[in-house]
Amino acid sequence: MNELEVLQALRLKGRVSEVDLASTVGADTHEITAAVEQFAQDGLVAPGKLLKITPEGRERLAELLAAERSAVDASSLSAAYAEFRAVNGDFKLLISEWQLRDGQPNDHTDAAYDAAVLGRLDAVHGKVVPIIAAVATQLPRLNSYGDKLVAALTRVKAGELPWLTRPIMDSYHTVWFELHEELIGAAGLTREQEASAGHAD
């Protein structure tokens, strides 16, 4: 079991069940159970119905991520993240217009309006896929984000609209947010730095 992937998933999810953690990292639940037991013994994970990374786990994760970054081409990752920032602006606007209309919460009673907003999601998706592919040449574990986005997009297109923004599952927005977190770290930045520069949302 990949220690970095499990600890990173726990950090990004906050609190998560073993079943959902297994789904997130693409592992068998028995593998996750064994890994969680070991990580809990090592003080890296707080066990329970919902798992949580500990402060010690965060320190260990920071070490693992730093080692991972040391083996990649920082300039190409920074360039890929710069491309993502531009696409992120398009996605933020799309989500804002999905959730709000004329400054008020969108009640989703205007099918034509909603369809027009959703119609732009394919273009956004088409822009982010090659960015993920480029980053994954150096950080292969990030390739899974492309698969997760496709899965969420497919469900949105099938009319399952909660898969666009609902936060308690791997909706398109949830996966996008986690990808953004990954790219911030891969570029050697922090969310605080990105927030001050207006790029953290």
Side-chain angles (χ1 to χ4, degrees), residues 35-118:
V36 166
E37 288 177 356
Q38 183 59 57
F39 294 161
Q41 289 178 19
D42 296 339
L44 307 178
V45 174
K49 186 175 181 180
L50 294 179
L51 306 170
K52 181 181 177 183
I53 192 170
T54 64
E56 293 79 8
R58 288 180 180 275
E59 290 180 9
R60 174 59 179 159
L61 176 59
E63 294 173 359
L64 293 170
L65 289 172
E68 182 183 60
R69 281 196 305 274
S70 70
V72 301
D73 180 351
S75 61
S76 64
L77 281 178
S78 294
Y81 181 51
E83 289 184 47
F84 177 82
R85 279 175 173 163
V87 183
N88 188 52
D90 294 338
F91 184 63
K92 286 166 58 178
L93 180 60
L94 186 155
I95 294 300
S96 176
E97 292 181 356
W98 175 256
Q99 295 175 330
L100 298 172
R101 186 177 181 187
D102 299 324
Q104 300 297 320
N106 182 9
D107 59 13
H108 302 292
T109 56
D110 188 335
Y113 175 85
D114 281 0
V117 174
L118 287 178

Side-chain angles (χ1 to χ4, degrees), residues 97-154:
E97 292 181 356
W98 175 256
Q99 295 175 330
L100 298 172
R101 186 177 181 187
D102 299 324
Q104 300 297 320
N106 182 9
D107 59 13
H108 302 292
T109 56
D110 188 335
Y113 175 85
D114 281 0
V117 174
L118 287 178
R120 305 196 327 257
L121 187 56
D122 275 332
V124 169
H125 184 77
K127 291 177 182 177
V128 79
V129 166
I131 296 172
I132 295 172
V135 173
T137 61
Q138 298 195 66
L139 299 174
R141 67 183 183 82
L142 298 192
N143 206 40
S144 64
Y145 284 94
D147 297 333
K148 291 176 184 178
L149 288 176
V150 168
L153 179 62
T154 299

Side-chain angles (χ1 to χ4, degrees), residues 174-196:
T174 296
V175 176
W176 187 283
F177 175 85
E178 292 176 2
L179 171 63
H180 193 176
E181 286 285 304
E182 292 273 23
L183 294 179
I184 288 173
L189 301 169
T190 66
R191 176 155 284 275
E192 290 73 23
Q193 289 172 322
E194 287 297 273
S196 65

